[in-house]
Amino acid sequence: MSTTHHSGHAVERTAGRPEAGRAYTIGAAVCALFAVFFIPVVFGPIGAVLGFVGNAKGDRAGIWAALAAILATFVGVVLGAAVAGNR
């Protein structure tokens, strides 16, 4: 991890280290799973943001977790509408 001084403020650089973003990527994957079955309009966007943060912190799988969360949002909404329509 390197520290760069910009405008008098210390900025931490963690890009390029997969372990730095792994927790965010795992959180994104869990949110994507929850988005299919529980409140997709909440868990999906949270998962997408976590995945993008994980990617920005160096975990290349973060982008895939973010995309999975976005897809899970749509799947969850359609699944919810289908279940509600059968009642």
Side-chain angles (χ1 to χ4, degrees):
M1 180 171 22
S2 66
T3 303
T4 306
H5 295 285
H6 180 70
S7 304
H9 297 99
V11 178
E12 257 182 46
R13 298 216 168 254
T14 57
R17 290 187 25 221
E19 64 275 3
R22 185 56 46 112
Y24 293 100
T25 300
I26 292 170
V30 169
C31 284
L33 183 64
F34 282 178
V36 174
F37 302 107
F38 311 107
I39 319 171
V41 295
V42 172
F43 285 111
I46 291 171
V49 169
L50 289 175
F52 289 129
V53 169
N55 184 58
K57 289 193 172 281
D59 189 1
R60 294 176 68 178
I63 191 72
W64 294 107
L67 294 174
I70 293 168
L71 179 63
T73 302
F74 291 109
V75 170
V77 168
V78 169
L79 187 62
V83 169
N86 287 334
R87 290 186 176 191

